Amino acid sequence: MISLDEARQIIGSHTRVLHPEAIDLTKVNGRVLAHDISSDQFYPAANLSMMDGYVIREDEQPGSFSVIAEIPAGQITNGKLSRGEAMRIFTGGILPENGGRVVMQEACVREGDMVSINEFPDSLFIREKGAEARPGDLILRSGQLIGPSEMAVLAQLGCTQPQVIRKPRIRHLATGDELVKPTEVPSAGQIRDTNSSLLAGLTAQYCSGMDSSLVPDQPSMMSALAEGDWEVLLISGGASVGDYDHGADVLGEMGFTIHFDQVNLRPGKPLTFATRGNQLAFVIPGNPVSHFVCFHVAIRLALETLCGMAPNWSFLSLEITEQSLLKPNPRETFWPAEILVKDKQWTSRPKSWSSSGNTFSLIGTNALIRVSSKDFPLTLPLNS
Ligand SMILES: Nc1nc2c(c(=O)[nH]1)N[C@H]1C(S)=C(S)[C@@H](COP(=O)(O)OP(=O)(O)OC[C@H]3O[C@@H](n4cnc5c(N)ncnc54)[C@H](O)[C@@H]3O)O[C@H]1N2
Ligand code: MOO
């Protein structure tokens, strides 16, 4: 049986980042940028006022000024300031060529065409042309994960169809004769399918859509429903060695190469990983907690890589409260946990968890505690 580190190595070596596509700026949240983007102009494009007030020359002293013009937003004034003159200006307004100081209106007294300023504040209240970026400056690098802030930057640069890495299409089969949809009332021996909902939530940020079906434990139906031009196939259940566990056999018959079918991992030991060309497939042990753990320690690595993201595998050394809940085991264990603030410190609290079939133990889980025989338990924070 291979270790989790070996399993991650194998997954990484068989996974390639997907090709880029140009998409509308409104849809790029959560995508990875596929090209460098440079500044198209000076930012700001001119010297701008940071306040509503009056603009004067920088070489002036406090005193009285005659107001010779008003500069409405977005207008360029060709006039110049002589000594003793001011122009009315507003926040974001473009300064006249020799304007060197803005005084906010609260520090001014206006009477008719005159304005008196008793004292100058320390700041000139000017955003200088090119202070933020100059033409050709590198602003966003290829590989940048795009969130709301980067969307605002793309909008500012006029980049409305950025090239971003495509997201994989995922095909999902929830296998098991005992499964019924969550809308149904299970009869004796049946259970509601929880894994489809779990995976829909877990995969949402990493795929362009997950197509899910319930399938009985019948290899011919499983392979018929599994075929397609998706990039990732997830099969829930049927991962172990029982007579009705057909996941790996079905993949073999479909022409997949099985790279591993067991990992020294708790929960999630019978996790299977296979490939066919550029298609990746996982058979995930049917228990919901096994699903959750296998997703975060193995499947997410593949999805993040396909999407061009830097795989997140950083652990924190946090104080663990209620450490006695962490039962030792020969298998490397990833224990569902919750990161909480206690006495102004982040702490990690294990969930009460005794069976990988207990879906309720996942409530509020935002971390996994890695318990291996040799190390102090470390906490893996989760972002989904
Ligand atoms: N002889 C052995 N038996 C088992 C071993 C082993 O090494 N030798 N491994 C155990 C471990 S560990 C796990 S984990 C499970 C994995 O079993 P399977 O992947 O074959 O999963 P199933 O038998 O199909 O289901 C397990 C469990 O999960 C429930 N399930 C399945 N799908 C769903 C779903 N979509 N929603 C909710 N619940 C689901 C299913 O009803 C079972 O209760 O194997 C052990 N056995
Ligand atoms: O590995 Mo299984 O996932 O213990 O329950």
Side-chain angles (χ1 to χ4, degrees), residues 54-103:
Y54 295 87
V55 53
I56 55 177
R57 288 163 49 142
E58 195 183 350
D59 56 3
E60 295 283 14
Q61 295 300 318
S64 274
F65 300 85
S66 59
V67 181
I68 60 161
E70 180 170 302
I71 308 171
Q75 292 224 355
I76 294 168
T77 176
N78 292 322
K80 281 191 168 186
L81 289 160
S82 299
R83 286 200 65 127
E85 289 180 342
M87 292 184 193
R88 181 83 168 112
I89 197 164
F90 304 97
T91 305
I94 299 168
L95 266 61
E97 193 188 308
N98 64 342
R101 177 187 292 281
V102 172
V103 184

Side-chain angles (χ1 to χ4, degrees), residues 10 31 103 117 130 134 222 239 286 313 324 330 333-334 336:
I10 293 168
R31 295 295 197 101
V103 184
I117 307 170
R134 306 175 77 80
M222 287 170 66
W313 193 240
S324 60
T333 302
F334 281 77

